[in-house]
Amino acid sequence: GAVVSQHPSWVICKSGTSVKIECRSLDFQATTMFWYRQFPKQSLMLMATSNEGSKATYEQGVEKDKFLINHASLTLSTLTVTSAHPEDSSFYICSARRDPSQETQYFGPGTRLLVL
Amino acid sequence: AQKITQTQPGMFVQEKEAVTLDCTYDTSDPSYGLFWYKQPSSGEMIFLIYQGSYDQQNATEGRYSLNFQKARKSANLVISASQLGDSAMYFCAMREGLGGNQFYFGTGTSLTVIP
């Protein structure tokens, strides 16, 4: 399968600070990446679709000014949680498809964010 | 209506036995894909198996097989010869429509393998 990495795997920050999470496809180019959020013992919720070279597509209810997504290259997408608050504490996980014709999304290992 | 329904919040299985994890889906699109992912306590989502709506045969991947019953809109995962390392959360997901990006995930089933 394809390899997707995320960095950092853990982050603890103070309320009001911004946190950047990186998602990289290591052995393939991904024109599209996806960002999910998962609360404890719950399912994954799609936050946004990250498109290389264009603006991200956000799901309903997701604040685009709070969750900034940048897909600067075919192997890197970043999610920045701006002015983080304790309610933003969650598990953030990205995924990518090896190419648009492929069905399977491959997931990164996730990033646990704790905002104090 | 829920796109993906997993009705078993938790399941237990004896080591070396087979277990079936249920998944039903709801879509009116003739083209869709069904997926199963495993999420151990570390959090990573591990792809297990895929079934396309037009696939004639049930998908199999090693000890994993997908019991695809199109008329019933079910896509149950069967794990044969359970191992202790199979203990994890299992999520059923659906990609709806041709080339659609969004995955709809079920609420997951927590599987515990008992020695």
Side-chain angles (χ1 to χ4, degrees):
Chain A
V3 179
V4 177
S5 71
Q6 271 183 252
H7 177 80
S9 55
W10 268 100
V11 58
I12 301 173
C13 68
K14 292 182 179 179
S15 188
T17 60
S18 294
V19 175
K20 180 186 282 188
I21 303 170
E22 293 185 348
C23 177
R24 292 181 186 273
S25 55
L26 297 184
D27 57 350
F28 65 101
Q29 293 182 331
T31 55
T32 304
M33 291 183 172
F34 307 90
W35 286 96
Y36 293 84
R37 184 174 181 177
Q38 185 181 28
F39 291 105
K41 299 190 186 301
Q42 293 190 25
S43 189
L44 278 72
M45 290 178 50
L46 180 66
M47 298 174 66
T49 301
S50 171
N51 305 298
E52 189 268 336
S54 65
K55 291 182 179 180
T57 305
Y58 289 83
E59 295 300 303
Q60 195 172 13
V62 178
E63 299 176 58
K64 57 184 67 177
D65 293 332
K66 180 160 187 66
F67 299 100
L68 300 178
I69 291 172
N70 185 0
H71 197 147
S73 76
L74 287 171
T75 59
L76 174 63
S77 174
T78 59
L79 168 68
T80 302
V81 183
T82 62
S83 187
H85 290 284
E87 58 264 30
D88 298 325
S89 299
S90 190
F91 185 62
Y92 293 87
I93 190 165
C94 71
S95 72
R97 288 193 299 199
R98 185 180 280 276
D99 63 62
S101 65
Q102 278 231 343
E103 289 285 353
T104 303
Q105 287 188 20
Y106 294 94
F107 286 82
T111 298
R112 297 190 189 276
L113 171 63
L114 177 61
V115 184
L116 302 176
Chain B
Q2 292 286 337
K3 291 284 187 182
I4 293 288
T5 302
Q6 292 181 255
T7 57
Q8 306 155 314
M11 290 281 286
F12 291 86
V13 64
Q14 202 77 38
E15 194 178 6
K16 299 180 184 177
E17 296 290 313
V19 63
T20 298
L21 306 184
D22 294 342
C23 172
T24 57
Y25 59 93
D26 181 31
T27 181
S28 57
D29 199 306
S31 176
Y32 53 89
L34 298 160
F35 304 79
W36 278 93
Y37 287 87
K38 172 184 177 182
Q39 187 180 42
S41 56
S42 58
E44 59 187 309
M45 293 284 283
I46 302 167
F47 166 69
L48 296 178
I49 197 166
Y50 163 77
Q51 180 87 41
S53 58
Y54 296 116
D55 293 343
Q56 296 293 320
Q57 293 190 328
N58 287 347
T60 60
E61 288 287 347
R63 294 187 297 111
Y64 305 108
S65 61
L66 200 151
N67 184 0
F68 182 43
Q69 299 195 25
K70 199 168 184 176
R72 294 185 180 181
K73 293 189 175 179
S74 74
N76 299 340
L77 176 70
V78 180
I79 305 174
S80 62
S82 298
Q83 302 171 357
L84 295 178
D86 293 335
S87 295
M89 282 290 291
Y90 288 81
F91 289 95
C92 179
M94 177 176 68
R95 186 274 307 151
E96 190 175 40
L98 194 63
N101 280 333
Q102 187 168 16
F103 269 33
Y104 298 96
F105 281 88
T107 51
T109 295
S110 176
L111 176 67
T112 302
V113 180
I114 305 167

